[in-house]
Amino acid sequence: MDGLRQAWQNIKERLGAMSVNQRMVLGMVATAVVISVAVFGLWLGRVEQAVLFSDLTPEDANSALQELNKRDVTAELTNGGTTILVPASVVHRLRVELAAKGIGTSGVVGFEIFDQSHYGMTETDYEVKRLRALQGELTKTIESLRGVDGARVHLVMPKSSIFRSLDTAPTASVVLTLNRQQPLNASQVEGVQSLVAGSVEGLIVDNVTVLDQNGQALSENYAADGFGASDRQLELQMEVEQYLTDKAQTMLLGVMGDGRSHVQVTATLNFEQLQSERTIYDPKATVVRSEERNEATDPTTGGVTETSLTNYEINQTIERLVGETGGVEQLSVAVTVDGNYVIPPEGGDAVYQPLDQQELDNIQRMVQSAVGIDVSRGDRIEVVNMQFRGQTANEPVSGGLPGGILEIVMPNVGRILLVVLLAVVVLTFRRNLAGALGDLSSLGARGSDAAGQPGGAALAGGGTADVEIPERFEGLPDMNDQMIDDVREYAAENPQRVAEVIQSWVYEPERSTGR
């Protein structure tokens, strides 16, 4: 007990010997420690939550909560009641068990509708359930695709007729709720069309319409007698031009460097669909088609008369020619290149010099070979040398950081700033704490030295005339001009700190004498 009382007394003495700034630093340290311990304790005691179902309808969320209450599982609703959180240790087991009961599937029913036998089912009821099951299976398959948050599938299955001319083809409509972060591209939409068409008997891709949640048509249905709409033709033309441009630009990038050349390709495509058929007869090449022989006997004379009939087939060749659709009809290529920057012999800034004709001819031949220019087809190519606007001789062509570094730094800017801020706080806090503790230790050392030295004892007892008080501390080096200047500079930069030190020196004799 005495030991605790003595320790508490020592703590009070040390706190009393501290200045206001030192007490503030110590209080901040104690507060930070308490907050850290509290946050860490809450983090350890918190149960980790995981998403059981997301994007639920109110009906599905209600069914899931009722089932979880029966199982005594703590659940939490978030995102406006569309997401259910449960403990992470049981999320996978609950997801499987609830999915087996049809909970969390947004009311979509597949072929499990036939798991139970229904007596007295008519043919109409069977067809309705079969259509519903087929739509449900397609919906679940489409919703499993990346970029699709929800789907609705509608199938129209006309009744078959005994008259072939009265038969109508089935049709389908698909409404997709797309993910804003990862929308579907044209090839993925065509894949959805092919999936639906391949799952329904008699359904073709052109009869499948795909819409998004905004009612915008995503599918492009093409007629059988034409290549397609004008937007599809424009898209194909842009793909060809971009492909040829990238080929030429990549080649010039390795030869001239980044930012010193520009290529633009204009392609004219032939979208005419021509079909021709011709028949060629060769009279020299004949083939026996049929032969007929008849024999007749004359009853009066007994003679036999024989007749024959032979039919020949002339050799026939039928050719069907279909013209190429989307082929390149003509190319026009424009190339602009920068010149050279040469430093004069006498020094100074670099001077722009255009390329000579031989260099331009070499560039033209390289681009012509890379793109596939055919002069007989009417293709044209122009290579122009000019100084690029906004670029000077003293500036590097590809200024800035490399692309790889930017790709790494940009996504982590927030984290880097947080680390830098934390480092600054830690360094500042460490420096202030070290200074406060240093002042405290020096203050205690001076107090103990004053009490133990003969001069201190003499002051405590009232002092005598024959006790010599040293003018300066032992071990203190001689002050030269450089040290005096350093002290003055430090005092000018830290007046508050110097004032606190002097104040502690002034009150030190009072503490040692017990006043």
Side-chain angles (χ1 to χ4, degrees), residues 188-501:
Q188 290 174 313
V189 174
E190 293 177 1
V192 172
Q193 290 180 276
S194 301
L195 171 66
V196 176
S199 303
V200 180
E201 182 181 0
L203 182 61
I204 61 177
V205 175
D206 290 339
N207 290 340
V208 179
T209 303
V210 182
L211 307 176
D212 62 2
Q213 66 268 29
N214 299 321
Q216 182 179 0
L218 302 177
S219 58
E220 298 178 352
N221 300 328
Y222 306 117
D225 55 351
F227 177 77
S230 58
D231 55 349
R232 177 58 181 168
Q233 297 177 2
L234 180 60
E235 181 181 354
L236 179 60
Q237 180 179 352
M238 293 175 61
E239 291 178 359
V240 173
E241 293 176 350
Q242 187 63 40
Y243 172 72
L244 297 177
T245 300
D246 292 342
K247 288 182 62 178
Q249 192 68 61
T250 302
M251 181 194 61
L252 292 179
L253 179 64
V255 174
M256 304 191 64
D258 189 14
R260 300 194 60 197
S261 61
H262 182 72
V263 181
Q264 184 66 45
V265 178
T266 301
T268 302
L269 305 183
N270 182 13
F271 294 106
E272 296 181 356
Q273 189 175 18
L274 302 177
Q275 295 184 1
S276 62
E277 181 177 345
R278 62 179 181 174
T279 304
I280 302 174
Y281 296 97
D282 187 3
K284 296 181 179 180
T286 57
V287 179
V288 177
R289 181 178 183 181
S290 63
E291 186 176 359
E292 181 180 355
R293 294 179 179 273
N294 295 320
E295 292 183 359
T297 303
D298 191 354
T300 57
T301 61
V304 178
T305 305
E306 181 180 353
T307 60
S308 64
L309 178 62
T310 303
N311 295 322
Y312 294 94
E313 186 73 33
I314 300 177
N315 187 20
Q316 179 182 359
T317 302
I318 299 177
E319 294 181 353
R320 291 185 177 86
L321 303 178
V322 179
E324 182 183 14
T325 302
V328 177
E329 194 174 75
Q330 188 178 9
L331 292 178
S332 178
V333 183
V335 182
T336 56
V337 293
D338 197 7
N340 297 322
Y341 297 92
V342 181
I343 299 178
E346 60 274 8
D349 296 337
V351 179
Y352 172 79
Q353 290 185 358
L355 302 179
D356 54 26
Q357 189 61 37
Q358 183 178 359
E359 292 176 329
L360 295 178
D361 294 340
N362 293 335
I363 294 175
Q364 181 174 348
R365 285 195 299 269
M366 288 189 299
V367 176
Q368 185 173 351
S369 300
V371 176
I373 296 293
D374 188 359
V375 180
S376 61
R377 189 174 54 187
D379 298 348
R380 296 181 303 171
I381 179 173
E382 292 290 341
V383 179
V384 179
N385 179 210
M386 61 177 60
Q387 184 178 8
F388 285 5
R389 185 181 300 274
Q391 180 175 324
T392 61
N394 295 329
E395 295 179 352
V397 177
S398 56
L401 294 176
I405 298 178
L406 290 177
E407 292 177 358
I408 297 175
V409 172
M410 292 306 294
N412 301 314
V413 171
R415 298 179 180 177
I416 295 175
L417 293 178
L418 181 61
V419 172
V420 172
L421 179 61
L422 182 61
V424 171
V425 172
V426 170
L427 293 177
T428 305
F429 178 75
R430 181 180 178 183
R431 184 178 58 187
N432 294 335
L433 181 60
L437 295 179
D439 292 342
L440 180 60
S441 60
S442 62
L443 182 61
R446 287 196 300 270
S448 60
D449 292 341
Q453 288 179 358
L459 290 173
T464 57
D466 40 349
V467 176
E468 255 183 55
I469 300 177
E471 297 180 1
R472 59 185 179 86
F473 295 104
E474 295 181 1
L476 188 66
D478 295 333
M479 300 291 290
N480 53 24
D481 295 339
Q482 181 64 33
M483 295 180 64
I484 294 175
D485 294 337
D486 292 341
V487 171
R488 289 176 179 174
E489 183 178 356
Y490 180 81
E493 294 178 355
N494 303 276
Q496 183 67 24
R497 186 67 178 277
V498 173
E500 292 176 1
V501 174

